[in-house]
């Protein structure tokens, strides 16, 4: 059963995740999507900033999922997979996932995801999944330090795309993958995600979030929640639910 999303368009906001949170606190309810033309204080994880000029697709999906907190990363996985599917199927791009939820093309980041969980006024848990996708942006407008690690649909394909069509396609994939997950199909979702994850089989350095000491090992797979399983040098496996991963 697909999710019927309501879409709330705004021009310029500080952050769509922030607007989403305010809407929930005002009683807006779930299955709402906040989209903005630009963000003046777009946020990444750990309070990093997210550059959000005009031409990008900046949006936040509000959900009220009936899941255990340790399954929240699975919804990030669904977000990343939805974007990757659309870029691959509709725009013929070789989109891959950098665990946990960056989408990259030829090693350059095109999309990032920030999920946040909080209580609404009724005490129910809400989840806001913020997705930033560099669509009709020329990456030369980004600051110097991220320009070289970044790409966009415009840079890859040489054309501009219709942002509403792009959003609807991603939301359709997102709704389908959510219903697959809730009807017991998460193993298949995970296996598709795994086939797109760049670092499986490689030696990685992991910086866990919340911050703990970094460690290295071979990324061998993902568990049922979508946590990365890393084989340490002493042969033990360690699972990481959230963190930053670099190839070494
Ligand atoms: C992320 O964080 O990748 C999550 C980004 C989520 C953005 C969306 S937009 C809609 C919603 N509203 C928000 O306020 N946020 C969400 P992280 O993995 O921490 O990566 C952040 C890093 O990516 C920054 O420190 C930069 O190095 C880089 N970066 C910043 N802007 C970028 C962009 N537009 N494209 C690619 N990389 C970028």
């Amino acid at each position: 059963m697909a999710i019927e999303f309501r879409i709330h368009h705004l021009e310029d906001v500080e952050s769509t995740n922030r607007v989403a949170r305010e809407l929930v606190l005002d009683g807006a309810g779930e299955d709402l999507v906040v989209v903005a033309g630009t963000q003046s204080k777009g946020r990444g994880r750990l309070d990093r900033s997210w550059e959000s000029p005009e031409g990008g697709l900046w949006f936040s999906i509000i959900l009220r999922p009936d899941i255990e907190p340790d399954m929240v990363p699975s919804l990030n996985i669904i977000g990343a997979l939805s974007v990757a599917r659309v870029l691959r199927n509709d725009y013929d791009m070789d989109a891959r996932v950098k665990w946990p939820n960056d989408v990259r093309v030829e090693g350059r980041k095109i999309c990032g995801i920030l999920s946040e969980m909080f209580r609404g006024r009724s005490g129910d848990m809400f989840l806001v999944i913020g997705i930033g996708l560099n669509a009709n942006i020329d990456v030369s407008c980004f600051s110097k330090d991220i320009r070289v690690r970044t790409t966009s649909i415009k840079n890859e394909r040489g054309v501009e795309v219709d942002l509403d069509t792009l959003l609807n396609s991603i939301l359709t994939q997102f709704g389908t993958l959510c219903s697959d997950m809730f009807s017991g199909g998460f193993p298949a979702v995970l296996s598709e995600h795994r086939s797109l994850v760049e670092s499986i089989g490689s030696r990685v350095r992991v910086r866990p979030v919340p911050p703990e000491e970094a460690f290295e090992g071979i990324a061998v797979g993902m568990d049922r929640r979508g946590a990365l399983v890393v084989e340490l040098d002493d042969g033990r496996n360690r699972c990481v639910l959230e963190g930053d991963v670099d190839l070494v």
Side-chain angles (χ1 to χ4, degrees):
M1 192 188 51
I3 303 175
E4 288 278 323
F5 289 107
R6 293 166 292 139
I7 299 183
H8 188 57
H9 280 278
L10 295 166
E11 295 219 331
D12 183 29
V13 299
E14 283 194 357
S15 151
T16 54
N17 270 34
R18 185 172 170 168
V19 174
R21 186 188 183 116
E22 284 160 2
L23 286 171
V24 167
L25 292 174
D26 281 349
E30 76 244 61
D31 301 341
L32 180 66
V33 177
V34 181
V35 199
T38 58
Q39 299 183 115
S40 55
K41 287 191 184 154
R43 279 186 294 123
R45 295 174 303 145
L46 301 173
D47 269 334
R48 295 169 186 145
S49 76
W50 182 259
E51 298 189 14
S52 318
E54 202 178 330
L57 185 60
W58 322 124
F59 66 104
S60 298
I61 305 172
I62 302 173
L63 296 173
R64 196 167 45 164
D66 184 17
I67 54 173
E68 297 297 323
D70 74 341
M71 287 303 284
V72 168
S74 62
L75 284 159
N76 293 337
I77 284 175
I78 283 179
L81 192 50
S82 310
V83 172
R85 272 189 178 179
V86 169
L87 295 180
R88 297 178 76 82
N89 300 344
D90 300 359
Y91 299 95
D92 197 25
M93 294 166 66
D94 186 18
R96 309 220 153 243
V97 177
K98 177 170 184 270
W99 186 91
N101 46 29
D102 285 356
V103 180
R104 306 206 305 175
V105 177
E106 313 245 336
R108 290 169 178 248
K109 184 160 170 168
I110 194 165
C111 169
I113 300 182
L114 170 69
S115 296
E116 297 178 296
M117 220 173 175
F118 58 90
R119 285 193 191 283
R121 44 175 198 195
S122 55
D124 294 347
M125 289 308 292
F126 281 84
L127 182 63
V128 171
I129 302 174
I131 300 184
L133 174 57
N134 300 332
N136 301 330
I137 292 177
D138 190 328
V139 296
S140 60
C141 76
F142 286 137
S143 51
K144 215 160 121 211
D145 58 324
I146 68 163
R147 211 179 286 165
V148 287
R149 295 181 274 120
T150 308
T151 193
S152 68
I153 298 181
K154 184 174 176 176
N155 279 97
E156 294 297 320
R157 307 296 309 152
V159 288
E160 300 213 341
V161 298
D162 183 72
L163 293 181
D164 289 333
T165 307
L166 181 63
L167 175 64
N168 283 326
S169 305
I170 294 170
L171 292 176
T172 302
Q173 292 295 345
F174 189 90
T176 306
L177 287 164
C178 278
S179 37
D180 289 351
M181 170 170 145
F182 290 117
S183 58
F186 195 54
V189 174
L190 267 185
S191 115
E192 184 181 343
H193 178 262
R194 185 187 195 284
S195 72
L196 295 177
V197 172
E198 295 169 336
S199 48
I200 303 287
S202 304
R203 190 167 180 85
V204 291
R205 180 174 175 78
V206 183
R207 284 166 287 136
V209 172
E212 270 180 62
E213 204 177 326
F215 63 93
E216 289 186 15
I218 307 291
V220 287
M222 280 168 312
D223 71 7
R224 60 164 196 93
R225 304 161 299 171
L228 187 70
V229 183
V230 180
E231 189 181 299
L232 306 177
D233 294 340
D234 64 9
R236 281 181 304 129
N237 280 349
R238 181 161 169 190
C239 296
V240 204
L241 260 178
E242 223 199 312
D244 288 306
V245 170
D246 293 305
L247 293 177
V248 286

